[in-house]
Amino acid sequence: TFSMVVTSVESSNFVKQCFGALAVTFASENCVRPWISLSIVEQLWTAMIRFENDDASNILERDGLCRGDDVRRTLEAVGVIDVMLLDGLHNKKTKCIRISHDLLCDFGKQYLNTNLLPEISDQEEKKPCFSLWPWKNPPKSTTDGTNREPADAILRFLNRQICYLYDEMIDGSFTTCGHDGHMYYFYPQHLMRGNLMSDAYALLTNRDFIACRLQLLGMEDG
């Protein structure tokens, strides 16, 4: 199905990787396909494009995949995501995204677990490190006789990338201006799922973060 929309094998595989990243990064035990702010998802996909090597970037550009919104349009054409304007904060509509069906979530997770394994350790600093992910020539198997757990490694890796993007967005200060609330709701979860427990503790004890979270989400959700 992907190859019917994106003709080259390289771009088709990359779009599958982006879809798998959506399935893995934002799912939770309570909801496997939640509505997520489209903004942060497209930032994640843009980062994935930015850290491709030159040859791969040329192929993606040739196929019209230059930014995260290009990936979104492709996935919409394939029919595997839903995009909708939902009620947000301050009486504003927020454009959100989710995977169309639970079985598609399983496909996305399985694709990453089968084809890709990020070589990143628990001690790796939180930084933009998609360049460390072997998008090309991935290992044939995600098991190599060691005790590594690829699914957990991929989960940690992607959540750390989201945390880095949130750090860039915050730029050292918390504010309620220009935010749809998703960052304040999900940021602590991404830190914990990225195994960045000390950062999560620091965030949840930051008075400015707590004040903004309460103001945006209310007492019950905040």
Side-chain angles (χ1 to χ4, degrees):
T1 302
F2 286 83
S3 60
M4 294 175 63
V5 179
V6 182
T7 54
S8 71
V9 173
E10 294 86 353
S11 292
S12 178
N13 288 340
F14 180 79
V15 171
K16 291 176 188 176
Q17 293 161 12
C18 291
F19 180 74
L22 173 62
V24 169
T25 310
F26 299 97
S28 66
E29 294 181 0
N30 298 327
C31 185
V32 297
R33 51 187 192 99
W35 286 106
I36 300 295
S37 173
L38 180 61
S39 173
I40 189 62
V41 177
E42 289 187 346
Q43 287 184 58
L44 174 64
W45 291 337
T46 297
M48 293 169 67
I49 293 173
R50 189 170 68 242
F51 283 97
E52 283 286 342
N53 60 46
D54 290 340
D55 291 339
S57 295
N58 290 335
I59 294 173
L60 295 177
E61 184 176 355
R62 183 192 66 197
D63 289 335
L65 297 170
C66 301
R67 296 183 56 82
D69 56 342
D70 299 320
V71 175
R72 184 259 304 164
R73 282 191 290 268
T74 301
L75 292 175
E76 281 187 297
V78 175
V80 294
I81 60 170
D82 300 321
V83 177
M84 185 179 295
L85 281 174
L86 299 178
D87 291 333
L89 301 167
H90 311 302
N91 298 317
K92 293 182 179 180
K93 294 286 187 179
T94 300
K95 187 172 285 190
C96 296
I97 182 174
R98 73 172 180 182
I99 293 175
S100 299
H101 194 279
D102 290 358
L103 291 178
L104 292 171
C105 291
D106 294 337
F107 164 78
K109 294 174 183 178
Q110 186 62 34
Y111 183 84
L112 290 191
N113 294 344
T114 303
N115 293 279
L116 302 168
L117 177 62
E119 299 294 342
I120 183 169
S121 69
D122 288 342
Q123 290 72 40
E124 182 68 35
E125 293 182 9
K126 183 177 58 180
K127 60 183 180 181
C129 53
F130 281 111
S131 55
L132 299 179
W133 188 318
W135 300 118
K136 306 304 173 190
N137 302 315
K140 294 182 179 180
S141 173
T142 55
T143 59
D144 58 1
T146 69
N147 293 324
R148 288 189 297 174
E149 299 179 3
D152 290 341
I154 292 170
L155 179 70
R156 288 194 299 270
F157 177 85
L158 287 171
N159 275 275
R160 290 181 183 197
Q161 304 316 298
I162 291 292
C163 293
Y164 177 82
L165 293 173
Y166 277 148
D167 284 347
E168 281 193 325
M169 186 186 306
I170 294 166
D171 193 26
S173 63
F174 296 101
T175 176
T176 59
C177 297
H179 286 290
D180 54 23
H182 282 256
M183 189 260 299
Y184 287 99
Y185 188 85
F186 288 105
Y187 193 9
Q189 298 178 39
H190 288 301
L191 286 169
M192 288 183 281
R193 295 175 74 192
N195 201 28
L196 299 168
M197 297 305 179
S198 59
D199 290 343
Y201 177 81
L203 181 70
L204 292 171
T205 54
N206 184 299
R207 292 186 177 182
D208 292 336
F209 174 82
I210 293 173
C212 290
R213 181 179 167 102
L214 290 172
Q215 183 177 347
L216 287 170
L217 304 180
M219 289 296 295
E220 184 175 348
D221 293 330

